[in-house]
Amino acid sequence: MTKTRLLIIFIIFIALNIFISLLNLWQSIWWLILFVDFVLVVAFAEQVATIIPLKYQKLYQRALAISFPIFVLITWELIVNAGILNPRWFPPPTKIAAALWDLTINYDRFNKTSLFGRPWLAPSVLQSDGWPAVWSLFTESHVLTTLWRVFFGFIIGAIPGILLGIIMGLNKTIRMMLDATMSAVYVLPKIAIFPIMMLIFPNPFGEGPKIAVVAISAFFLVAISTMAGVRDIDPVFLQVAKNFGANRRQTFWHVIVPGALPIIFSGLRLALGTALIVIVAIEFIRAQIGVGYVVFYHWQILATDKMYAGLFVVMVLGILLTFILQAIERWLMPWRK
Amino acid sequence: MIKIKAQNISKIYDSANGKITALDDFSLEVEDGEFVCLVGPSGCGKSTFLRILAGLEPATSGSINIARSPNSTKPVNNVVFQEYAIFPWKTVINNVAFGLEMRGIGKKQRQEIAMSWLEKVALSKFANYYPSQLSGGMKQRVSIARALANDPEVLLMDEPLGALDAQTRTVLQAELLRIWEKDRKTVVYITHSIEEAILLGDRVIIMTAQPGRLKETFEIDLARPREIELTATAEFAKLSGIIWQALKDEVKQAYDAQMMDKVD
Ligand SMILES: Nc1ncnc2c1ncn2[C@@H]1O[C@H](COP(=O)(O)OP(=O)(O)O)[C@@H](O)[C@H]1O
Ligand SMILES: [Mg+2]
């Protein structure tokens, strides 16, 4: 039964695509055909799911998740090569990959930068010029510079944010005084304070203003969610603590902190995403180094393959950072499944 | 010897829509080693009274006195809360050891004590589980074990079995009887089930609908040790009939008051 259906869907798929190719309709309605193809693939995959044994279901779902982006990349490659999309604005994935490789191995003499910092040179540089030269290999890296800005800004924003959030959660007077102001600042797009930061710091083009904006955006997000987390703790847990003789310090560590932790972490996750957005935007407008700079610079000189390579790196950084935060989360909150 | 002496307790809550008298001149004396059950319609102030007894909330007027045994270092009271109120972020054994940890008892010793209580409530296999992995009945056992492991002078229990299904509840009633009859701690036990009150208690106290006052007291002279089978006897049925007569009007009044609230 299912097998016949699979066969029918498969035949429709092949017939449709051959038919369209014969009539030379790809050029004009390629988006419509891609949509129909996609629906057919979904229908096919759904039928397959019904005949896959239960113990392979998880594997199958994972395979679906992985194969989708691969399909997208292949389709992209094909329609660009067929001349349907302009390769100038949508360079095919293979060309983007080549550009990524190019950016990785080559050193930009003019800007004195490279994408990852050429770590493979470290051993020979160490022998000839010593540790400072190895260090300068790191500082020439776009990726490491961006990561450093995000990491440093995130830490110096999030830690005070957690502290203030806890204080606001516990003390009603401070909460009443600060809450409205905090919420107002919270909705301000943080990138808008970048000019102020450039005025405040002695070197407007240095690292100071960039990291400060990241820190400030993390600070407000984390402070507000931490406060919500503390307020969200079921009061009965505080009664339990009191009834079982916990003092203030014990109540803090055994009830307040673990009780607020899940919501604190959802704030941290938001703050990390925001930090990446903010830093890339700042690197667009005011930086000589960083992945945001890579993207924007190659857009300016119309090297779109390298621009996409830069975007790809930003995406991978986002995934990597989220992954690290999730690992910390699982480690700190083993009770959450 | 009188263990708990609560005199003329009143409690008035100031809420957004006016004052609510939760308790009105309620007095209670409990003998050392006595198991007293408080029964009353919901909203009559039972939980409020228990929180006042536990020192978690001040009374508007009246006085509470809990006598300590001479030279005792035991905590005065511990509560088994109406909702399980065990910490989701602590493992079962760390939940049970919570009171001991707060009192500064060393890790090894408190784990041993907690483990022995987990054995008594048949949960030793689950010592390292988190509450989210347990059923309702198991959570409530953890909550009871946590209070017992702390070995307080008096044990205060607020509808501990109220949220459980009938079968689990019967099993836990039997377990409670067995555990309590071993060391006969002073207990104030809140329930809305007359049968549970008769089965467990030495004395059953009926409260009026809101505001909570003392309505009637019944001595339960059934022999101990008691078994769950007691509930099937004619004597038991007769007692529960008599007590229901006293409670019936209060339940109806509370129900009507609730309906009036809905109509408003
Ligand atoms: N914190 C509070 N603030 C205002 N009213 C309360 C509060 N706690 C309880 N009440 C009111 O006091 C009455 C008694 O409540 P409670 O002691 O929980 O009753 P019971 O446990 O017998 O069901 C109820 O009418 C309830 O609404
Ligand atoms: Mg109650």
Side-chain angles (χ1 to χ4, degrees):
Chain A
M1 199 53 211
T2 309
K3 293 219 172 99
T4 8
R5 268 191 228 138
L6 281 174
L7 195 65
I8 293 172
I9 296 172
F10 186 69
I11 290 171
I12 296 177
F13 182 84
I14 297 291
L16 174 79
N17 283 278
I18 291 178
F19 181 70
I20 298 291
S21 302
L22 286 178
L23 290 182
N24 249 336
L25 283 175
W26 273 101
Q27 201 72 35
S28 43
I29 51 164
W30 59 274
W31 45 271
L32 182 63
I33 306 159
L34 280 185
F35 177 73
V36 176
D37 279 352
F38 176 69
V39 172
L40 287 170
V41 169
V42 170
F44 191 85
E46 284 217 314
Q47 290 301 323
V48 172
T50 61
I51 51 173
I52 289 207
L54 205 60
K55 65 173 177 174
Y56 294 121
Q57 282 289 346
K58 264 237 137 64
L59 202 69
Y60 178 66
Q61 283 161 9
R62 197 161 297 166
L64 284 182
I66 293 170
S67 54
F68 179 72
I70 294 176
F71 274 132
V72 170
L73 290 177
I74 291 174
T75 312
W76 182 350
E77 186 83 24
L78 288 177
I79 59 177
V80 174
N81 287 341
I84 293 167
L85 281 179
N86 185 347
R88 180 146 203 170
W89 306 124
F90 302 97
T94 47
K95 238 188 125 206
I96 296 172
L100 184 60
W101 177 247
D102 198 28
L103 283 173
T104 304
I105 58 168
N106 285 326
Y107 177 63
D108 180 341
R109 258 167 239 295
F110 177 67
N111 276 320
K112 299 195 171 52
T113 55
S114 67
L115 188 57
F116 293 105
R118 299 180 297 165
W120 57 89
L121 290 182
S124 65
V125 163
L126 179 61
Q127 277 207 332
S128 56
D129 303 299
W131 283 108
V134 176
W135 176 247
S136 78
L137 278 181
F138 286 117
T139 55
E140 75 176 35
S141 162
H142 291 292
V143 168
L144 290 182
T145 306
T146 298
L147 273 180
W148 151 254
R149 286 170 181 157
V150 168
F151 179 75
F152 196 55
F154 182 71
I155 295 289
I156 60 176
I159 290 175
I162 291 175
L163 292 179
L164 180 67
I166 288 177
I167 293 170
M168 284 175 70
L170 295 177
N171 185 300
K172 194 171 171 191
T173 312
I174 296 179
R175 181 166 66 247
M176 291 303 146
M177 279 168 68
L178 298 188
D179 199 9
T181 315
M182 298 272 292
S183 308
V185 180
Y186 171 82
V187 294
L188 181 78
K190 298 312 168 305
I191 187 81
I193 59 172
F194 184 54
I196 308 175
M197 290 301 128
M198 292 209 300
L199 288 177
I200 291 175
F201 280 83
N203 176 9
F205 306 112
E207 293 300 305
K210 302 184 180 73
I211 290 172
V213 177
V214 173
I216 288 169
S217 23
F219 175 78
F220 284 98
L221 274 167
V222 173
I224 287 182
S225 47
T226 302
M227 176 185 78
V230 172
R231 304 264 296 140
D232 196 51
I233 296 170
D234 190 336
V236 80
F237 290 134
L238 298 172
Q239 292 184 4
V240 173
K242 188 173 177 200
N243 186 242
F244 283 84
N247 58 30
R248 276 161 162 266
R249 190 177 49 80
Q250 288 169 322
T251 306
F252 183 78
W253 287 111
H254 288 270
V255 180
I256 309 279
V257 170
L261 215 48
I263 301 185
I264 292 179
F265 260 92
S266 69
L268 289 176
R269 236 176 292 133
L270 270 178
L272 195 60
T274 310
L276 199 62
I277 295 172
V278 163
I279 203 63
V280 167
I282 288 175
E283 287 171 354
F284 274 10
I285 51 178
R286 264 282 169 268
Q288 301 303 318
I289 184 166
V291 284
Y293 168 77
V294 173
V295 173
F296 206 70
Y297 172 74
H298 291 106
W299 173 75
Q300 284 176 315
I301 63 167
L302 287 184
T304 45
D305 51 349
K306 288 188 175 149
M307 181 190 82
Y308 278 98
L311 284 178
F312 178 75
V313 172
V314 174
M315 195 172 79
V316 172
L317 283 187
I319 295 171
L320 187 78
L321 289 174
T322 312
F323 195 76
I324 292 172
L325 197 66
Q326 266 173 5
I328 297 175
E329 210 173 321
R330 266 198 298 273
W331 175 65
L332 275 179
M333 298 188 283
W335 66 91
R336 284 174 63 96
K337 276 277 135 76
Chain B
M1 178 192 140
I2 289 174
K3 191 77 182 169
I4 303 174
K5 191 166 184 159
Q7 280 176 300
N8 314 97
I9 302 291
S10 294
K11 177 75 188 184
I12 299 168
Y13 283 113
D14 248 335
S15 76
N17 32 14
K19 289 184 194 289
I20 298 172
T21 307
L23 282 169
D24 185 22
D25 201 25
F26 184 78
S27 299
L28 176 69
E29 281 182 8
V30 183
E31 291 284 328
D32 192 16
E34 192 182 14
F35 197 126
V36 169
C37 292
L38 285 185
V39 183
S42 76
C44 77
K46 305 184 293 294
S47 295
T48 303
F49 177 65
L50 208 75
R51 281 197 301 271
I52 292 171
L53 262 189
L56 293 171
E57 210 173 295
T60 309
S61 64
S63 71
I64 296 279
N65 186 24
I66 297 181
R68 310 202 55 169
S69 2
N71 307 324
S72 160
T73 55
K74 290 179 179 185
V76 178
N77 77 78
N78 280 121
V79 181
V80 176
F81 288 86
Q82 188 164 4
E83 326 80 31
Y84 319 119
I86 54 176
F87 301 118
W89 49 83
K90 285 182 182 288
T91 55
V92 165
I93 188 155
N94 286 338
N95 261 297
V96 175
F98 179 68
L100 302 167
E101 188 176 359
M102 295 305 102
R103 281 156 58 199
I105 289 166
K107 177 153 186 172
K108 190 157 174 286
Q109 196 188 350
R110 66 175 189 252
Q111 298 267 6
E112 262 168 34
I113 298 174
M115 202 61 201
S116 74
W117 279 103
L118 282 179
E119 270 154 26
K120 283 179 206 164
V121 296
L123 276 182
S124 47
K125 275 197 209 117
F126 299 90
N128 293 313
Y129 280 49
Y130 284 102
S132 63
Q133 297 166 291
L134 306 182
S135 70
M138 290 155 93
K139 284 183 202 169
Q140 197 51 276
R141 284 191 174 110
V142 175
S143 177
I144 292 167
R146 174 174 67 185
L148 289 170
N150 210 29
D151 193 21
E153 300 256 348
V154 302
L155 189 61
L156 309 175
M157 304 174 90
D158 192 354
E159 301 196 30
L161 311 184
L164 305 177
D165 63 87
Q167 274 130 38
T168 314
R169 176 193 274 249
T170 310
V171 171
L172 284 199
Q173 283 169 350
E175 246 170 62
L176 269 179
L177 269 178
R178 185 172 49 76
I179 292 170
W180 181 80
E181 283 179 349
K182 233 174 259 164
D183 54 15
R184 307 227 167 184
K185 220 178 245 315
T186 313
V187 177
V188 176
Y189 188 104
I190 291 175
T191 173
H192 55 240
S193 155
I194 293 176
E195 281 72 26
E196 189 167 291
I198 300 171
L199 177 66
L200 298 173
D202 296 317
R203 191 147 52 105
V204 174
I205 290 169
I206 306 295
M207 289 174 74
T208 62
Q210 192 203 353
R213 294 194 199 92
L214 186 83
K215 166 121 186 189
E216 224 173 317
T217 298
F218 298 90
E219 301 285 339
I220 309 297
D221 295 325
L222 301 169
R224 294 199 188 258
R226 295 179 191 164
E227 305 275 345
I228 208 83
E229 285 71 26
L230 189 63
T231 52
T233 61
E235 201 182 359
F236 191 95
K238 193 172 148 224
L239 260 174
S240 79
I242 294 170
I243 296 179
W244 173 240
Q245 284 307 318
L247 185 61
K248 174 169 86 171
D249 298 339
E250 303 306 324
V251 173
K252 185 168 183 328
Q253 195 185 324
Y255 180 78
D256 290 347
Q258 246 175 26
M259 293 315 272
M260 287 301 283
D261 279 353
K262 293 241 166 67
V263 172
D264 291 347

